[in-house]
Structures are given as structure tokens and as C-alpha cells.
Amino acid sequence: MGLLSFSLIGGVIGGAATVAAAPLVLGAVGFTAAGIAASSYAAGMMSAAAGANGGAIAAGSTVAVLQSVGAAGLGATLTTATAGVGASVGAGIAAVAAVLI
């Protein structure tokens, strides 16, 4: 199998795996459908963001976006972006593997 084949397969696998893993990872760190889980990494992020912003969480901030995704899931735009990043990383890893094999 050539470099292009490895990269294509790696890109497909990377894109699919990233989209599938995103909700699981967000839930694991505390961004859940029910809100931010107490004593979680997400709660620490929220506390730090609120402290830095005078007690409020700014709309569009990292914490706000992650909580929105944790509560409602990835929308079309974030699904596309997440798949693109995963595909790029997967293709890059596969290309390196093809050269080393």
C-alpha cells in the first residue's frame, strides 16, 4: 500500500474516531447534558473563567462553548470542524507510519 492509501485510510479513521469520541471526552471531563458536573475538571474551568470575568461566564468563551456542546451535542459546523481536525491528524500519523514501515 502506498503513502496516499495510508493517508486516506488514516484520515477516514481519524475523522470518524474524533467525531465519535468528542461527546464521550466532554462528558468524562464534566460537560454533561445536565450541566457542569460538580468537582469535575469542567467545574474547575468554570470557576477559573468566572473568577477572571468578575463572576460571570462570557458568551462564546471556551467554557460556554464546551458546555453548549456537552448539553446539546455537536452541531453541523462543529461536527465538520472536529472531523476535519481528526482527519488531518489521522492522515499525518498514517503518512509517517507509511514512511517508517
Side-chain angles (χ1 to χ4, degrees), residues 12-56:
V12 169
I13 292 170
T18 305
V19 170
L24 301 174
V25 171
L26 287 173
V29 298
F31 293 104
T32 69
I36 292 179
S39 301
S40 65
Y41 183 76
M45 286 180 64
M46 184 176 179
S47 176
N53 199 33

